[in-house]
Amino acid sequence: MSVLRLKLPTDPRWVNLAEKSLEDILTDHAYCEQKAASTCISLIQQYPDKTKLVDELSPIVTEEWGHFRMVLRELKKRNLKLGRQRKDEYVNHLLKFHRKGISQEEKLLDKLLMAGLIEARSCERFKLLWQGIGDEELSEFYYKLMVAEAAHYTLFLELARTYFDADIVHTRWREWLDYEEQIMENLTPRGDRMH
Amino acid sequence: MSVLRLKLPTDPRWVNLAEKSLEDILTDHAYCEQKAASTCISLIQQYPDKTKLVDELSPIVTEEWGHFRMVLRELKKRNLKLGRQRKDEYVNHLLKFHRKGISQEEKLLDKLLMAGLIEARSCERFKLLWQGIGDEELSEFYYKLMVAEAAHYTLFLELARTYFDADIVHTRWREWLDYEEQIMENLTPRGDRMH
């Protein structure tokens, strides 16, 4: 938690809720991985001239999509079905925090920080699932994902520092952390959602 | 050509044009692979209940994105840069042929046939590049891609036959082939575009 700098830890009872709605939580998780892959694709499309960004995010797309396929396998093993994608309130709230009226170049900072923040929160949630879920195989699965997401979180912040001044990144990152804390305070924890 | 059923072969001089604008054609090609990956992702998001579709298209996303990364490497090797994505006239024309005012279930047929058609045309173009391009390494690269795209073309048509009556698929596929012939007749062949 302290490493990830998130301000509000998830209520540990969330794991018990999640465990009771495995089909829903795995479905939601699958789409989180899909959104992570799609976000990296979209960053590459928007900033093809930023070589480091393109080089670093291209393999992440493969990795995130690999996670999507791993979640599909976990569903199948348990005779559960991939459900429909639902509105992602957490992400929709985060999107409102992007600054408007700035150039496409400047917008990159918020895009990278938001991506990093989602990875950090996912990492925190995976840790809870790893430690708290009864299904041993799933627990191990979440351990692996926790490690992967922590690396992605680091990468997004590193990319932010590549293209923006360290001070600017630091200040804006603190604003994002404060904003995320408010979102988490107001979102009812749901066992059928990753966030 | 006869296997792919396309009605209008590409003017073989297109390869000479393409060879002269390698950075542009490779950039355009990279985004074709990205669009192929994104199309499969979007089909999975729209039809998560169709198990065969989800199972068959999930690995294709990984494969198409792998192609995107391969094109990036070919650019890098030659000290060329990934450029910006440009309007894809061919795809925009194809999109106009989708039937409107039908259910989401019925729309799947046009989506699968359009995807198959783009794979078929890409396959035809890769064959020309394989046979006609001077750069031996690139020629080999295009040979591999030609084989891959032919398999994808077959898969999309097979998926169409899984979810729709063979007669309906056959009739609509002929309409798509006729429509594509018209597009190709009216599109000026450009050496900086795959289509």
Side-chain angles (χ1 to χ4, degrees):
Chain A
M1 190 67 186
S2 61
V3 178
L4 294 168
R5 315 275 179 213
L6 295 171
K7 298 207 151 188
L8 195 73
T10 297
D11 184 328
R13 284 171 300 179
W14 168 76
V15 179
N16 307 102
L17 294 174
E19 209 165 7
K20 281 185 196 124
S21 38
L22 218 50
E23 189 166 70
D24 286 328
I25 197 82
L26 284 168
T27 287
D28 195 58
H29 177 189
Y31 290 117
C32 287
E33 300 292 352
Q34 171 266 311
K35 278 177 278 190
S38 297
T39 297
C40 293
I41 292 178
S42 144
L43 282 166
I44 292 168
Q45 284 177 288
Q46 290 170 69
Y47 302 96
D49 51 316
K50 304 214 180 299
T51 311
K52 185 179 161 71
L53 179 147
V54 173
D55 290 348
E56 301 275 3
L57 294 188
S58 295
I60 307 294
V61 174
T62 308
E63 197 183 330
E64 301 283 16
W65 189 256
H67 294 168
F68 175 89
R69 294 172 67 189
M70 283 159 78
V71 181
L72 271 192
R73 277 195 289 276
E74 298 302 324
L75 278 163
K76 243 184 233 292
K77 273 190 218 165
R78 291 166 181 78
N79 254 321
L80 302 172
K81 284 197 160 76
L82 177 69
R84 298 203 71 79
Q85 189 157 24
R86 281 166 302 182
K87 212 174 69 176
D88 189 331
E89 280 189 70
Y90 176 69
V91 165
N92 289 344
H93 279 298
L94 288 177
L95 283 170
K96 288 182 199 150
F97 200 57
H98 284 257
R99 285 163 306 166
K100 289 173 190 73
I102 55 176
S103 71
Q104 178 70 359
E105 287 298 305
E106 289 169 303
K107 282 181 183 169
L108 178 60
L109 179 59
D110 281 339
K111 290 176 202 270
L112 291 171
L113 294 183
M114 175 169 153
L117 195 51
I118 296 176
E119 298 283 355
R121 181 58 74 184
S122 302
C123 182
E124 190 241 2
R125 296 269 159 129
F126 288 144
K127 188 177 175 190
L128 289 177
L129 290 168
W130 159 48
Q131 293 173 331
I133 215 162
D135 183 323
E136 261 189 52
E137 209 181 28
L138 263 190
S139 165
E140 234 175 88
F141 175 59
Y142 284 120
Y143 176 78
K144 277 187 232 158
L145 291 183
M146 177 190 75
V147 175
E149 307 299 8
H152 298 167
Y153 151 77
T154 310
L155 171 62
F156 281 114
L157 284 167
E158 186 196 311
L159 283 174
R161 280 184 226 106
T162 303
Y163 297 112
F164 299 90
D165 233 51
D167 287 352
I168 292 175
V169 174
H170 184 72
T171 308
R172 187 61 182 157
W173 180 236
R174 291 176 72 94
E175 289 170 3
W176 271 102
L177 290 173
D178 289 341
Y179 180 72
E180 205 252 1
E181 182 184 21
Q182 287 170 40
I183 298 178
M184 293 315 283
E185 264 169 7
N186 296 313
L187 267 188
T188 317
R190 295 177 54 159
D192 59 349
R193 300 296 165 91
M194 274 306 297
H195 302 110
Chain B
M1 191 67 185
S2 60
V3 178
L4 294 169
R5 316 274 179 213
L6 295 170
K7 297 207 153 187
L8 195 73
T10 297
D11 184 328
R13 285 171 299 181
W14 168 74
V15 179
N16 307 102
L17 295 173
E19 209 165 7
K20 281 184 195 122
S21 37
L22 217 50
E23 190 167 69
D24 285 328
I25 196 82
L26 283 169
T27 287
D28 195 59
H29 177 189
Y31 290 117
C32 287
E33 300 292 353
Q34 171 266 309
K35 278 177 278 189
S38 296
T39 297
C40 292
I41 292 178
S42 143
L43 282 167
I44 292 168
Q45 286 179 285
Q46 291 171 69
Y47 302 95
D49 50 317
K50 305 216 179 298
T51 311
K52 185 180 160 72
L53 179 147
V54 173
D55 289 348
E56 301 277 2
L57 295 187
S58 295
I60 307 295
V61 174
T62 308
E63 197 184 329
E64 301 283 18
W65 190 256
H67 295 168
F68 175 89
R69 293 172 67 188
M70 283 158 77
V71 181
L72 272 192
R73 278 195 288 277
E74 297 303 323
L75 278 163
K76 242 182 232 294
K77 272 190 219 166
R78 292 167 181 76
N79 256 321
L80 302 172
K81 285 199 160 75
L82 176 69
R84 299 203 69 79
Q85 188 157 24
R86 282 168 300 183
K87 213 175 66 174
D88 188 331
E89 280 190 70
Y90 176 68
V91 165
N92 289 344
H93 280 299
L94 288 177
L95 283 171
K96 289 182 200 150
F97 199 57
H98 284 258
R99 284 163 306 167
K100 289 172 192 73
I102 56 176
S103 70
Q104 177 71 359
E105 286 298 304
E106 289 168 303
K107 282 180 182 169
L108 178 59
L109 179 59
D110 280 340
K111 290 175 201 271
L112 291 171
L113 294 182
M114 175 171 154
L117 195 51
I118 297 176
E119 299 284 355
R121 180 59 75 185
S122 303
C123 183
E124 190 241 3
R125 296 269 160 129
F126 288 144
K127 189 178 174 188
L128 290 175
L129 290 167
W130 159 47
Q131 292 174 333
I133 214 160
D135 183 323
E136 260 188 53
E137 210 180 28
L138 263 191
S139 165
E140 234 175 89
F141 175 59
Y142 284 121
Y143 176 78
K144 278 186 231 160
L145 291 183
M146 177 191 75
V147 175
E149 306 299 7
H152 297 168
Y153 150 78
T154 309
L155 172 61
F156 281 115
L157 284 168
E158 188 195 309
L159 284 175
R161 279 184 227 105
T162 303
Y163 297 111
F164 299 90
D165 232 53
D167 287 353
I168 292 175
V169 174
H170 184 71
T171 307
R172 187 61 182 158
W173 180 236
R174 292 177 70 96
E175 290 169 3
W176 271 102
L177 289 172
D178 289 341
Y179 180 72
E180 206 252 1
E181 182 184 20
Q182 288 170 39
I183 297 178
M184 293 315 284
E185 263 169 7
N186 296 313
L187 267 188
T188 318
R190 296 177 54 160
D192 60 349
R193 301 295 165 93
M194 276 304 300
H195 300 109

